[in-house]
Amino acid sequence: MVPVQSAALAACVILGALAVFQVALLAGAPWGRLAWGGQHRVLPRKLRIGSAVSVVLYAAFGYVALGKAGLVAPLGGTAFTAVAVWVLAGYFTLGVAMNAISRSKPERFAMTPVALLLAVLYLVIALG
């Protein structure tokens, strides 16, 4: 399998795991210290809504990666998908910085590497 396809599949696996995590937070799992700034053990209603939105966004992010890798039809065409992948690479790079400065030590140590891995994977996809 070519590197771009492998990177897209790996990104989808990670996004899928994050989606499961967000659904658990939405359902009231006491893992809030790992997300949303780590201020709450169990997320309040407003942040649970954010978790639900995150799940939808992760699905869209995954589809963009798969589209750029040629594994599904590109969303909005190849030009849109090419730009979207670069935007997502930048988004996950920003996520590295945001997670690294989180006041929550558990969030900092758990989510910074995840964001870094996604940033690298989306860069590989964008360059492919």
Side-chain angles (χ1 to χ4, degrees), residues 5 14 20 24 28 48-49 55 63 65 67-68 86 90 94-95 97 106 113 115 117 120 125:
Q5 291 173 330
I14 295 167
V20 169
R48 288 181 189 205
I49 292 169
V55 171
Y63 194 90
K68 179 70 167 85
W86 278 107
L94 179 61
L117 185 53
V120 169
I125 297 163

Side-chain angles (χ1 to χ4, degrees), residues 15-26:
L15 291 168
L18 286 172
V20 169
F21 172 70
Q22 292 291 352
V23 168
L25 290 173
L26 177 64

Side-chain angles (χ1 to χ4, degrees), residues 1-75:
M1 194 177 302
V2 296
V4 174
Q5 291 173 330
S6 297
L9 292 173
C12 287
V13 168
I14 295 167
L15 291 168
L18 286 172
V20 169
F21 172 70
Q22 292 291 352
V23 168
L25 290 173
L26 177 64
W31 303 334
R33 297 279 183 230
L34 296 169
W36 302 108
Q39 305 280 322
H40 308 278
R41 189 172 143 308
V42 175
L43 297 183
R45 185 176 190 273
K46 187 185 262 188
L47 292 179
R48 288 181 189 205
I49 292 169
S51 287
V53 171
S54 292
V55 171
V56 174
L57 289 174
Y58 295 156
F61 296 169
Y63 194 90
V64 167
L66 295 173
K68 179 70 167 85
L71 298 171
V72 297
L75 182 67

